Amino acid sequence: MCKDCSCTIAGQEHHHEHHSHEHSASHQAAHETLHHNPQLNDAKTISVIQKILDKNDHEAAHNRAHFDNHKVLGINLMSSPGSGKTTLLENIADMVDFKFAVVEGDLETSRDADRLKAKGINAVQIQTGSACHLDAFMVHKGLHDISLDGIDVCFVENVGNLVCPASYDVGTHLNIVLVSVPEGEDKIAKYPVMFRAADLILITKTDLLPYFDYDIEKEKMEARKLKPNVDILEVNIKDKQSLQNVIDWINFKRKMR
């Protein structure tokens, strides 16, 4: 089960075993939450969830190696529903100087993948059913339908949720977390696990700042309390320079690999 919301993760228990002594940051975050959750904090439940997380981490390492072998940068996009993940990808498609593909995650429908395909973006849809996040096995399945040859970046657009996705390493190299102005200025403080996992935070829909009581500088301070070295960019889809700043950040990370 998912340690935060008790959703069922079908099929985890019958995957092949691998062996590793390393734990991802997301794995550690999951255990931290687990041990402070009275509903889940018993020996049997902890053992089952640890087994699931261990298997997920091993598969995530396999995904990362797959990206590395093809010299592809993997980026996990996470946010609550409606923060603008798909819209961001649609709008940078005609601006980027690199080729990218997308593994798209949603509970139901292929609407987001269809939007991306309409822009000429190579995208594959993963429908998670009742699971509130993608895991490494789902992403691995999606990668079978994407040719990594000839692309530079693969985005994993996670299920819209500020809780569970942060606890599951999907095998990417970087995490970008979006938070939009209309969501209100309490999301970073209320969902710390997600924002501690971020390499880059995008504060989106900044064109709406005049219409909301949102102290953007205060939110940046909240983010840096959780992770002092996190990068933060403001994004307004109508402002091409703000999109270019995101592209420049990705290109910098590509060169640093």
Side-chain angles (χ1 to χ4, degrees):
M1 64 171 60
C2 169
K3 51 86 195 167
D4 287 309
C5 66
S6 300
C7 66
T8 301
I9 304 175
Q12 287 281 358
E13 289 303 309
H14 65 261
H15 288 290
H16 294 295
E17 293 282 359
H18 301 278
H19 299 281
S20 173
H21 298 292
E22 296 183 359
H23 293 296
S24 66
S26 58
H27 183 117
Q28 296 299 331
H31 279 291
E32 179 182 345
T33 305
L34 170 65
H35 285 282
H36 289 85
N37 189 330
Q39 292 182 312
L40 302 178
N41 194 6
D42 66 80
K44 183 176 180 180
T45 302
I46 289 173
S47 177
V48 170
I49 295 177
Q50 181 169 341
K51 186 176 181 181
I52 291 172
L53 291 172
D54 284 344
K55 289 183 177 182
N56 183 80
D57 277 2
H58 300 323
E59 190 71 1
H62 176 74
N63 291 347
R64 214 159 6 250
H66 195 50
F67 285 133
D68 290 339
N69 290 338
H70 289 80
K71 295 181 171 53
V72 171
L73 178 67
I75 299 178
N76 188 12
L77 293 178
M78 299 182 287
S79 77
S80 59
S83 292
K85 299 186 297 296
T86 308
T87 300
L88 174 69
L89 295 175
E90 286 177 317
N91 280 269
I92 68 170
D94 295 329
M95 299 176 61
V96 294
D97 55 355
F98 54 81
K99 294 182 179 179
F100 70 86
V102 182
V103 176
E104 179 71 48
D106 279 303
L107 271 70
E108 296 288 346
T109 82
S110 61
R111 291 177 183 176
D112 286 351
D114 291 342
R115 284 172 56 185
L116 297 174
K117 290 176 182 177
K119 291 286 295 184
I121 301 167
N122 184 5
V124 59
Q125 183 76 47
I126 301 294
Q127 294 179 0
T128 66
S130 61
C132 59
H133 56 85
L134 290 173
D135 63 27
F137 294 98
M138 297 176 194
V139 171
H140 179 79
K141 181 179 179 182
L143 291 178
H144 280 295
D145 295 323
I146 286 180
S147 174
L148 296 181
D149 294 325
I151 70 168
D152 305 296
V153 177
C154 184
F155 292 99
V156 175
E157 185 177 338
N158 222 307
V159 177
N161 184 350
L162 280 178
V163 184
C164 305
S167 297
Y168 285 80
D169 185 356
V170 295
T172 53
H173 302 100
L174 297 167
N175 293 325
I176 296 179
V177 179
L178 290 71
V179 60
S180 67
V181 169
E183 292 173 67
E185 60 177 29
D186 59 351
K187 295 301 177 288
I188 293 175
K190 289 174 68 174
Y191 298 94
V193 176
M194 175 63 76
F195 292 95
R196 286 194 193 103
D199 297 290
L200 171 66
I201 295 173
L202 300 181
I203 302 178
T204 63
K205 306 185 183 181
T206 56
D207 53 311
L208 298 178
L209 279 169
Y211 309 102
F212 287 87
D213 186 13
Y214 191 97
D215 187 337
I216 196 167
E217 295 305 321
K218 178 184 175 183
E219 286 305 280
K220 291 177 183 179
M221 290 176 59
E222 289 290 341
R224 292 196 167 110
K225 286 179 186 177
L226 296 171
K227 190 172 184 180
N229 62 338
V230 70
D231 292 324
I232 303 173
L233 293 174
E234 300 177 22
V235 175
N236 168 7
I237 293 300
K238 300 174 183 177
D239 177 6
K240 295 298 183 182
Q241 184 56 53
S242 73
L243 297 177
Q244 188 61 51
N245 292 341
V246 178
I247 295 168
D248 291 345
W249 185 91
I250 293 170
N251 275 326
F252 176 76
K253 293 299 182 180
R254 287 178 58 215
K255 292 175 182 177
M256 291 294 290
R257 292 187 65 226

